Amino acid sequence: MINAIASTPRSYQLAAREAQLQPTTIRIGEAVVGGGVPTVIAGPCAVESEGQLLLTARAVAEAGAHLLRGGAYKPRTSPYAFRGLGLAGLELLALARETTGLPFCTEVVDTRDVEIVARYADVLQIGARNMHNSALLEEAGRSGKPVILKRGLSATVEEWLLAAEYILATGNPNVILCERGIRTYETATRNTLDLNAVALVKQRSHLPVLVDPSHGTGKWYLVQPLALAGLTAGADGLMVEVHHDPDRATSDGPQSLTHAHFAQLMEQVGMLSPLLAQLTHREPVT
Ligand code: PEP
Ligand code: MN
């Protein structure tokens, strides 16, 4: 399959824009990722309890989110931090889907968990720390579910697209890239959201791209400006962390929007979206 299009000039082949004339569009429930209308994925960093998840799931659904997010298996820097509810978290996400009608995405951190996570989730998320984990990429690809592939903390655009290639090469065409900020010398923000990469990848690849301004900045009050900037740079949607009480969140409280701030963001996305659709610079330049 890869050899068949070996004449394309890039190290990645199936992910390259040259491999496909039309941009990839992925239908998930009622949302179409890459379909011209920004897709918004929102929810808590981690699933903490039934009450917490349902409260936020209802709030983001009401505000117009297309997908719910929530971590049941959390990759944490410290082994002593809260690492998620595991299977119980997946069951709560399924309950939230039943309650709100929103499909959900959730992270899988281990090849041994791909089967169980794929049994529950509508979309699998490969986190930044696992972008280079080729066994996990292939296992997620083979699940047949759409895969959100976050960019590694210090991955180049080429490495990111080669990681996507691992998933595509399993025969799964439904890969969604997600720029979530990279490590730079700057310490004033958690990461540096690389909007260069968003604009570049939209030209180099046919795959849809999301921006995650929550992890990209680490600060809730920077989420709105960077969300709008990301969409303007060409992103096909957003992934945003939302919590009913960010001060008490088990993870990523400082970057989580309250329900009210998320509703405000959705209004702004609604205002920006028709303008973006008219901008000619969104046409890929080759
Ligand atoms: C997350 O989405 O909560 C997460 C852990 O993201 P990342 O892999 O981008 O750090
Ligand atoms: Mn998080």
Side-chain angles (χ1 to χ4, degrees), residues 45 69 74-75 107 125 127-129 150 180 215 241:
C45 178
R69 62 147 287 149
K74 296 301 300 174
E107 181 165 354
Q125 177 175 322
R129 288 156 195 78
K150 289 196 153 193
R180 48 77 74 202
H215 294 89
E241 288 186 338

Side-chain angles (χ1 to χ4, degrees), residues 20 60 102 167 191 200 240 266 282:
Q20 192 175 303
V60 300
L102 290 185
I167 304 168
N191 290 298
L200 184 66
V240 177
M266 288 304 289
R282 291 173 71 79

Side-chain angles (χ1 to χ4, degrees), residues 20-101:
Q20 192 175 303
L21 277 177
Q22 294 301 319
T24 289
T25 57
I26 301 168
R27 177 171 286 281
I28 305 161
E30 298 189 353
V32 180
V33 184
V37 177
T39 304
V40 180
I41 303 177
C45 178
V47 177
E48 298 167 7
S49 68
E50 180 176 330
Q52 170 248 11
L53 185 65
L54 291 186
L55 207 56
T56 294
R58 285 199 187 96
V60 300
E62 197 169 312
H66 304 93
L67 268 87
L68 177 66
R69 62 147 287 149
Y73 298 85
K74 296 301 300 174
R76 300 305 300 272
T77 302
S78 163
Y80 309 118
F82 175 62
R83 291 162 75 182
L85 297 178
L87 178 57
L90 296 178
E91 279 167 355
L92 291 177
L93 285 161
L95 176 66
R97 172 174 55 202
E98 223 172 273
T99 310
T100 61

Side-chain angles (χ1 to χ4, degrees), residues 14 33 108 183 246:
L14 300 170
V33 184
V108 59
R183 282 267 170 95

